[in-house]
């Protein structure tokens, strides 16, 4: 328990540091959001509007950096991440809120499915070395070394196109209104098949490989021989003795990959123009939308930290050796 | 005592197959009697652990049993050849009839499960009809048997000391009251004080429960004290077999003599420790004839040609057997 509290304290400190950095970075980049907004509108903004924009972005120069910092925290705690430029005058939190479900839905589900499937296949491959699953290994090694986005491009080239069942871009049929109904849901699923398959194929291979190798390592441990000598069923030895121990490193890897769900597999979302957070970030960078970038970075940072905390908790639950009494 | 419980006949174990195979155990005949403590000694690489793994069919690849029989005589029912049991029958046989205490005291327990889980699962696997309460009572009783308090059931292996872990392993080995317990260097990883405690406890348990022990070690001094009979292995073969006291008093094989002279006696006059010249065998390049002849101080003409066979050197002492041309067989082996 004390260990856990220490970890929580550590992550709180890290979160504070990340948020503070997030505050300073935009203030250190040359130019300011108002400048870029002015140039976006090709200077057709009145002086009054400029002044009010400065106040709006918290850039009014008569406030000290400290006051701005305090105000920034106040805004954050109220969930106010500022206004987006690209979707002006929509608040950043609203923009993020609308794209977050897409990313979590696509990348979250595929991450979990690929972990479960990959781990199960890895257990099988490692336990029965030389079985048919081992034959898959060269292919999975190859696939895991291919970048997601390239696989995505290949998938689009091969499967999408005029008249194909698989749409090449977007999250749903244009013209449909996002809602939980019989028109929208099938369309969203149809649009997610190709990107999901892309992520699944390339990320699952990594799980298979690492789980298989851990299984092979664990299988030569003394306690596995003892388990065999005890006359336990093959299944019990494989799962409760071998896989249970081999799983440990994979679980922490999984928890860490949960953190990157929110960041999205940026490039896959770009390739498929999928309306998720990664695609949003890409657009934000393209249009110098500082508040949106800041907001997305913040969400990514926090989710990585939360995932790390989850990894710690999972390890604590799974490996008694980490529990200090 | 003369009732046999385990008969090993012509057991051969190879590592690898085909032309590159290395034969680690050659044509071994060994008999374990009911309730007896049989010591098996030899230097590293003599094949003693391989023999133990081979007869329980636990050899990790590339090890293969390439010949022989391991005949087990259950307390009730006809004898069975362990090497030809079906996988399901083999699982039933393991632990219930022959359990093993392994070399690595530290790594024999699964680090992620409690002691109780690991003690209970073996009982449940072999006695699926037993109730949870009776299994738990048995587990507690087993721990008490080896001198560990019952509340240690809830401990994880890393919370136990090395000696406690090995005692848990011994308790586990006795869980199903097997006829035979194979101990492969059970105390090698422990300090001498712990070693003594555990061996004392084992002797006591053996007296109470009456199981037979095949005790494998490179520490001959330990065997002289602990076992009834001792078999000496060299180069994958049994080279001498005798009651412990007789072997200690009068070693026949030059190799046994060498082993006995490589540790000091606690009692009796001081004598010089000699050790055995040369280095352990390379199993890939076995010498012709007697495997020990290149290192043997008593080798004579023909030792490099003839492989000596195990035989009884004394007409009136059928319990002794030796494979050395210095002591030719005069009587057939009684088995």
């Amino acid at each position: 328990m004390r260990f856990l509290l220490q970890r929580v304290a550590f992550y709180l400190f890290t979160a504070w540091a990340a948020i503070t950095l997030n505050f300073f970075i935009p203030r250190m980049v040359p130019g300011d959001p108002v400048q870029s907004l002015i140039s976006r509108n090709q200077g057709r903004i009145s002086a009054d509007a400029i002044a009010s924009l400065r106040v709006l972005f918290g850039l009014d120069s008569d406030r000290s950096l400290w006051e701005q910092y305090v105000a920034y925290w106040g805004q954050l705690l109220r969930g106010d991440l500022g206004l987006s430029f690209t979707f002006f005058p929509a608040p950043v939190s609203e923009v993020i809120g609308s794209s977050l479900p897409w990313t979590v839905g696509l990348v979250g589900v595929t991450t979990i499915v690929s972990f479960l499937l990959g781990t199960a296949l890895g257990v099988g491959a490692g336990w029965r070395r030389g079985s048919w699953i081992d034959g898959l290994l060269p292919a999975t090694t190859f696939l895991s070394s291919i970048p997601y986005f390239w696989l995505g491009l290949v998938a689009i080239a091969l499967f999408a196109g005029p008249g194909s069942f698989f749409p090449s871009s977007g999250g749903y049929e244009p013209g449909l209104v996002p809602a939980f109904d019989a028109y929208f849901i099938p369309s969203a699923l149809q649009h997610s098949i190709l990107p999901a398959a892309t992520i699944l194929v390339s990320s699952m291979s990594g799980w298979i490989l690492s789980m298989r190798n851990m299984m092979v390592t664990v299988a030569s441990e003394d306690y596995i021989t003892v388990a065999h000598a005890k006359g336990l069923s093959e299944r019990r030895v494989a799962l409760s003795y071998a896989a249970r121990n081999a799983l440990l490193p994979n679980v922490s890897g999984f928890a860490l990959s949960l953190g990157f769900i929110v960041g999205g597999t940026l490039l896959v979302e770009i390739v498929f123009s999928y309306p998720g957070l990664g695609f949003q970030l890409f657009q934000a960078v393209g249009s110098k939308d500082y508040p949106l970038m800041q907001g997305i970075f913040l969400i990514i940072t926090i989710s990585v930290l939360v995932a790390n905390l989850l990894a710690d908790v999972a390890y604590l639950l799974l490996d008694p050796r980490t529990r200090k009494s | 005592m003369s009732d046999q419980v385990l008969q090993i006949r012509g057991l051969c174990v190879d590592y690898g197959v085909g032309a590159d195979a290395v034969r680690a155990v050659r044509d071994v005949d060994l008999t374990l009697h009911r309730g007896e403590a049989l010591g098996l000694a030899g230097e590293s690489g003599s094949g003693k652990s391989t023999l133990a793994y081979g007869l329980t069919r636990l050899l990790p690849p590339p090890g293969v049993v390439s010949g022989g029989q391991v005949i087990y005589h259950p307390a009730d029912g006809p004898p069975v050849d362990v090497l030809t049991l079906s996988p399901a029958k083999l699982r039933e046989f393991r632990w219930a009839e022959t359990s093993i205490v392994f070399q690595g005291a530290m790594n024999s327990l699964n680090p992620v499960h409690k002691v109780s889980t690991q003690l209970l699962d073996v009982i449940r696997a072999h006695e699926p009809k037993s109730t949870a309460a009776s299994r738990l009572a048995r587990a507690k009783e087993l721990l008490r048997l080896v001198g560990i308090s019952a509340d240690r059931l809830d401990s994880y292996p890393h919370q136990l000391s090395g000696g406690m872990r090995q005692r848990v392993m011994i308790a586990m080995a006795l869980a199903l009251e097997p006829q035979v317990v194979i101990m492969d260097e059970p105390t090698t990883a422990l300090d001498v004080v712990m070693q003594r405690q555990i061996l004392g406890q084992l002797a006591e348990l053996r007296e109470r429960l009456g199981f037979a022990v095949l005790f494998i070690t490179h520490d001959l001094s330990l065997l002289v004290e602990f076992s009834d009979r001792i078999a000496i292995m060299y180069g994958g073969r049994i080279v001498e077999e005798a009651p412990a006291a007789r072997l200690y008093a009068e070693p026949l094989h030059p190799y046994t003599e060498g082993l006995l002279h490589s540790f000091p006696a606690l009692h009796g006059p001081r004598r010089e420790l000699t050790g055995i010249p040369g280095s352990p065998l390379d199993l890939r390049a076995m010498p012709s004839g007697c495997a020990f002849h290149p290192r043997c101080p008593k080798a004579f003409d023909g030792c490099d040609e003839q492989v000596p066979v195990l035989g009884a050197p004394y007409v009136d002492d059928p319990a002794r057997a030796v494979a050395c041309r210095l002591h030719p067989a005069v009587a057939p082996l009684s088995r």
Side-chain angles (χ1 to χ4, degrees):
Chain A
M1 207 56 233
R2 216 178 117 238
F3 171 74
L4 205 59
L5 285 178
Q6 276 175 354
R7 298 308 293 168
V8 170
F10 171 75
Y11 288 128
L12 282 178
F13 173 77
T14 317
W16 167 80
I19 289 169
T20 304
L21 266 179
N22 212 8
F23 165 79
F24 280 109
I25 287 174
R27 282 164 179 77
M28 285 189 287
V29 291
D32 62 49
V34 178
Q35 280 303 329
S36 62
L37 205 59
I38 295 169
S39 53
R40 260 173 74 88
N41 290 292
Q42 285 145 4
R44 285 171 302 186
I45 287 185
S46 71
D48 278 353
I50 292 175
S52 58
L53 274 174
R54 284 197 177 281
V55 175
L56 205 57
F57 287 118
L59 293 174
D60 29 349
S61 43
D62 51 339
R63 288 209 300 171
S64 73
L65 205 59
W66 174 248
E67 278 172 335
Q68 291 180 35
Y69 183 64
V70 173
Y72 168 75
W73 266 101
Q75 282 183 336
L76 266 191
L77 294 178
R78 269 176 277 121
D80 179 2
L81 297 172
L83 298 181
S84 163
F85 298 172
T86 345
F87 303 93
F88 193 77
V92 167
S93 50
E94 210 171 86
V95 177
I96 291 179
S98 72
S99 53
L100 196 59
W102 289 100
T103 295
V104 171
L106 175 73
V107 190
V109 169
T110 48
T111 302
I112 292 169
V113 168
S114 86
F115 171 73
L116 294 179
L117 264 179
T119 303
L121 283 174
V123 168
W127 192 243
R128 303 205 174 283
R129 261 185 291 171
S131 68
W132 61 271
I133 310 180
D134 262 10
L136 292 180
L137 286 181
T140 57
T141 317
F142 173 68
L143 287 174
S144 69
S145 62
I146 295 180
Y148 290 4
F149 65 92
W150 191 77
L151 212 58
L153 288 173
V154 171
I156 290 177
L158 285 181
F159 301 112
S164 163
F165 172 74
F166 299 111
S168 63
S169 71
Y172 51 91
E173 204 67 45
L176 283 177
V177 183
F180 285 96
D181 59 29
Y183 303 103
F184 179 71
I185 297 287
S187 167
L189 285 179
Q190 189 188 352
H191 278 74
S192 69
I193 292 175
L194 268 195
T198 306
I199 301 174
L200 206 61
V201 163
S202 58
S203 66
M204 196 168 78
S205 335
W207 297 123
I208 297 181
L209 218 57
S210 66
M211 193 60 192
R212 178 196 175 272
N213 292 347
M214 272 315 290
M215 277 299 275
V216 170
T217 311
V218 168
S220 61
E221 291 281 349
D222 286 342
Y223 51 79
I224 303 296
T225 314
V226 173
H228 280 300
K230 277 159 83 173
L232 302 178
S233 67
E234 187 79 7
R235 197 184 145 81
R236 169 127 182 116
V237 181
L239 297 181
S240 178
Y241 282 72
R244 180 66 173 69
N245 278 285
L247 194 64
L248 295 174
N250 246 24
V251 162
S252 51
F254 173 62
L256 290 183
S257 73
L258 283 182
F260 293 102
I261 288 178
V262 176
T265 22
L266 185 84
L267 293 167
V268 171
E269 288 188 3
I270 294 172
V271 166
F272 288 97
S273 309
Y274 202 75
L277 216 55
F279 187 54
Q280 208 67 266
L281 180 62
F282 172 64
Q283 287 183 318
V285 171
S287 56
K288 289 195 179 153
D289 189 344
Y290 291 114
L292 186 54
M293 279 193 268
Q294 240 181 320
I296 293 178
F297 285 144
L298 195 68
I299 299 282
I300 293 176
T301 313
I302 290 172
S303 55
V304 169
L305 288 178
V306 168
N308 268 294
L309 188 63
L310 280 179
D312 283 344
V313 173
Y315 228 98
L316 220 52
L317 290 178
L318 288 174
D319 191 347
R321 285 165 295 187
T322 53
R323 284 174 234 158
K324 290 200 189 97
S325 50
Chain B
M1 277 295 269
S2 63
D3 196 6
Q4 295 134 345
V5 63
L6 200 65
Q7 287 175 295
I8 303 168
R9 289 289 168 264
L11 189 71
C12 294
V13 178
D14 290 356
Y15 282 107
V17 281
D20 297 332
V22 166
R23 183 151 287 188
V25 170
R26 292 166 181 262
D27 208 15
V28 163
D29 285 346
L30 202 61
T31 304
L32 185 64
H33 300 284
R34 234 170 262 284
E36 164 190 60
L38 172 63
L40 189 60
E43 60 193 21
S44 304
S46 60
K48 49 194 195 311
S49 292
T50 303
L51 177 68
Y53 285 102
L55 74 90
T56 47
R57 289 174 63 183
L58 283 168
L59 272 177
V64 257
V65 175
S66 50
Q69 284 180 311
V70 176
I71 297 170
Y72 175 76
H73 299 264
D76 44 352
V80 288
D81 184 358
V82 179
L83 298 183
T84 56
L85 286 177
S86 68
K89 286 276 176 215
L90 180 66
R91 267 204 297 280
E92 277 175 35
F93 166 80
R94 283 176 172 169
W95 222 259
E97 310 289 350
T98 299
S99 63
I100 311 173
V101 178
F102 288 96
Q103 214 162 37
M106 298 302 171
N107 307 320
S108 289
L109 289 164
N110 185 347
V112 298
H113 289 312
K114 287 178 183 170
V115 168
S116 57
T117 315
Q118 303 185 50
L119 259 174
L120 296 172
D121 70 352
V122 67
I123 306 177
R124 195 176 52 204
H126 289 276
E127 292 164 18
K129 286 186 199 121
S130 61
T131 63
S134 74
R135 287 196 293 262
L136 190 66
R138 171 96 65 90
K140 284 181 180 165
E141 169 63 29
L142 285 166
L143 283 193
R144 206 167 315 129
L145 217 54
V146 294
I148 295 178
S149 74
D151 55 10
R152 282 298 183 175
L153 274 178
D154 285 329
S155 298
Y156 286 96
H158 72 277
Q159 295 167 324
L160 304 177
S161 70
M164 282 171 109
R165 271 184 245 182
Q166 196 58 303
R167 276 189 282 180
V168 167
M169 284 313 294
I170 291 172
M172 200 182 285
L174 301 177
L176 303 166
E177 297 177 10
Q179 302 268 347
V180 179
V181 179
I182 296 172
M183 304 221 162
D184 183 12
E185 311 235 8
T187 56
T188 306
L190 305 175
D191 63 77
V192 281
V193 178
M194 192 46 73
Q195 196 168 339
R196 188 121 299 266
Q197 263 189 30
I198 286 187
L199 285 178
Q201 216 161 38
L202 258 179
E204 201 180 296
L205 285 171
R206 204 164 64 80
E207 206 140 287
R208 247 165 76 192
L209 304 174
F211 51 88
V213 174
L214 179 60
F215 198 101
I216 299 168
T217 180
H218 57 255
D219 190 347
L220 193 54
S221 56
L222 211 70
L223 285 187
V224 170
E225 199 176 340
F226 181 74
S227 50
D228 304 321
R229 256 178 347 120
I230 296 180
I232 308 285
M233 264 187 111
Y234 187 78
R237 286 180 200 278
I238 306 276
V239 295
E240 183 163 5
E241 209 183 309
R246 300 269 291 121
L247 187 104
Y248 183 64
E250 188 202 353
L252 292 180
H253 199 282
Y255 177 63
T256 314
E257 210 179 325
L259 281 182
L260 282 171
H261 282 113
S262 23
F263 63 90
L266 281 178
H267 309 290
R270 285 189 182 206
R271 58 188 167 82
E272 192 152 338
L273 296 180
T274 47
I276 302 169
S279 50
L281 271 181
D282 181 358
L283 290 174
R284 285 166 303 175
M286 289 283 281
S288 61
C290 171
F292 189 57
H293 86 264
R295 300 168 70 188
C296 183
K298 296 179 180 168
F300 58 100
D301 270 359
C303 275
D304 55 348
E305 285 162 12
Q306 263 182 304
V307 180
V309 275
L310 202 63
Y314 301 129
V315 185
D316 53 343
D317 193 354
R320 291 212 70 156
V322 65
C324 180
R325 294 176 60 238
L326 284 171
H327 308 279
V330 293
L333 284 179
S334 69
R335 292 202 180 271

